[in-house]
């Protein structure tokens, strides 16, 4: 059976503040196969890594990412909400991240946060950054917004893309493929044997989020999911090793 890959969801986000360099570095140190990041645009159209459209939850600021210039958003404390020992953390730009990440033997998942705000040209801006750092061949670009998937596919039909969803629908794998996706990223509750078979039949990868419980990990490994997204990559790796030992007996 093919090994299920482990992506650190916003980095090792149970150990350090999500989408910050400490979380990404801990993910790398844990031995995760990949890292998942979230991208939005500032007022001056610089791609930055933050999950929420509003900075309130994960910084000491208020307001929307798109209302901040890069200089302004960089002054925010992006770590103290998690622990005071991370008070020196700032919001990371995509450029800063890629300058570090491109030397790591890891895969990358870039989620375009366009489901609530359709940032103009974000697909092109992100694509150019990935191309500049020669990262396209080990990156999958995902979004809940099918328009983003379509636009990315139009930019480069060879780019790996993933439709993100938490909603059940008939023929989900076929739907994703027909809309230009090379893979499907689903919430755990949608996972079953039928979906696995449908993805295999349509020749698209299946990755599942967000898998933090050992019982969920075991199910994903048992069913042969292509990858999982987890806040605890160190634990997921440990359970995967245990599963592999048991399955090879």
């Amino acid at each position: 059976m093919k090994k299920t890959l482990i992506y650190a969801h916003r980095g090792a986000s149970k150990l350090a503040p999500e989408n910050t360099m400490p979380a990404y570095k801990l993910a790398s140190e844990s031995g995760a196969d990949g890292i998942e990041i979230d991208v939005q645009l500032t007022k001056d159209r610089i791609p930055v890594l933050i999950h929420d459209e509003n900075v309130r939850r994960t910084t000491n600021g208020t307001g929307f990412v798109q209302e901040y210039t890069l200089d302004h958003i960089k002054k925010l404390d992006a770590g103290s909400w998690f622990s005071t020992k991370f008070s020196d953390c700032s919001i990371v730009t995509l450029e800063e991240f890629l300058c570090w990440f491109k030397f790591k033997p890891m895969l990358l998942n870039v989620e375009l946060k366009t489901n609530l705000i359709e940032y103009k040209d974000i697909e092109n801006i992100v694509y150019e950054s990935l191309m500049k750092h020669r990262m396209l061949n080990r990156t999958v670009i995902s979004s809940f917004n099918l328009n983003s998937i379509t636009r990315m596919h139009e930019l480069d039909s060879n780019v790996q893309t993933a439709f993100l969803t938490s909603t059940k629908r008939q023929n989900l794998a076929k739907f994703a493929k027909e809309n230009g996706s090379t893979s499907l990223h689903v919430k755990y509750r949608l996972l079953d044997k039928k979906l696995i078979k449908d993805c295999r039949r349509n020749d698209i990868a299946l990755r599942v989020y967000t898998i933090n419980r050992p019982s969920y990990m075991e199910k994903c490994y048992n069913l042969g999911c292509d990858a999982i997204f987890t806040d605890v990559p160190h634990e997921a790796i440990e359970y995967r090793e245990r599963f592999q030992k048991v399955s090879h007996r």
Side-chain angles (χ1 to χ4, degrees):
M1 183 183 288
K2 188 171 69 172
K3 182 171 75 171
T4 298
L5 299 178
I6 293 166
Y7 282 79
H9 182 241
R10 309 174 200 167
S13 53
K14 271 288 198 297
L15 303 178
E18 64 182 61
N19 281 318
T20 62
M21 287 311 303
Y24 299 142
K25 287 175 180 176
L26 284 169
S28 173
E29 290 163 12
S30 76
D33 301 296
I35 293 178
E36 182 265 354
I37 62 175
D38 303 294
V39 179
Q40 312 210 36
L41 295 185
T42 60
K43 187 176 184 178
D44 41 355
R45 292 157 55 82
I46 304 299
V48 291
L49 312 188
I50 181 170
H51 178 270
D52 298 3
E53 289 76 13
N54 195 300
V55 301
R56 186 187 302 113
R57 181 176 64 85
T58 55
T59 76
N60 61 339
T62 58
F64 290 93
V65 173
Q66 65 176 356
E67 296 170 342
Y68 283 79
T69 62
L70 179 62
D71 285 346
H72 191 187
I73 209 167
K74 270 290 190 182
K75 293 184 172 103
L76 298 179
D77 172 353
S80 290
W81 67 274
F82 186 91
S83 167
T84 52
K85 73 177 183 179
F86 295 108
S87 61
D88 60 343
C89 286
S90 61
I91 288 177
V92 182
T93 65
L94 180 61
E95 177 68 16
E96 288 168 338
F97 174 81
L98 292 176
C99 284
W100 168 79
F101 186 83
K102 66 183 177 182
F103 298 108
K104 304 296 177 185
M106 301 174 79
L107 301 169
L108 179 62
N109 176 205
V110 177
E111 181 183 342
L112 302 178
K113 300 298 294 183
T114 53
N115 45 319
L116 294 181
I117 299 171
E118 290 211 36
Y119 295 101
K120 184 174 170 53
D121 291 332
I122 188 172
E123 297 84 9
N124 192 53
I125 291 167
V126 168
Y127 178 82
E128 291 294 331
S129 292
L130 291 169
M131 188 164 64
K132 171 187 167 185
H133 290 282
R134 299 181 179 179
M135 282 294 305
L136 287 168
N137 65 334
R138 54 187 171 116
T139 300
V140 58
I141 298 165
S142 62
S143 183
F144 284 95
N145 186 337
L146 279 171
N147 291 330
S148 280
I149 300 294
T150 300
R151 283 192 282 267
M152 193 58 74
H153 194 67
E154 287 170 352
L155 278 171
D156 185 344
S157 60
N158 294 315
V159 171
Q160 297 179 70
T161 53
F163 176 48
L164 258 167
T165 186
S166 59
T167 307
K168 199 164 189 172
R169 71 159 70 218
Q170 287 287 334
N171 302 315
L172 184 54
K174 185 181 178 186
F175 174 82
K177 187 170 186 177
E178 286 176 347
N179 282 279
S181 297
T182 57
S183 46
L184 182 61
H185 293 181
V186 300
K187 194 159 189 166
Y188 174 78
R189 60 182 171 79
L190 298 186
L191 177 64
D192 57 26
K193 287 181 180 178
K194 183 179 183 303
L195 184 58
I196 293 275
K197 286 179 182 176
D198 287 347
C199 287
R200 299 287 180 268
R201 190 181 303 119
N202 284 279
D203 193 29
I204 65 172
L206 178 65
R207 306 182 184 98
V208 187
Y209 69 92
T210 304
I211 310 300
N212 294 333
R213 295 183 188 178
S215 59
Y216 290 6
M217 292 174 189
E218 188 175 350
K219 180 177 177 180
C220 291
Y221 299 155
N222 258 317
L223 289 176
C225 295
D226 292 286
I228 63 169
F229 299 98
T230 180
D231 302 328
V232 286
H234 54 297
E235 292 179 16
I237 289 165
E238 181 186 330
Y239 280 105
R240 184 175 66 184
E241 287 171 357
R242 285 190 204 172
F243 172 78
Q244 286 172 330
K245 283 177 185 174
V246 170
S247 62
H248 286 139
R249 280 179 189 170

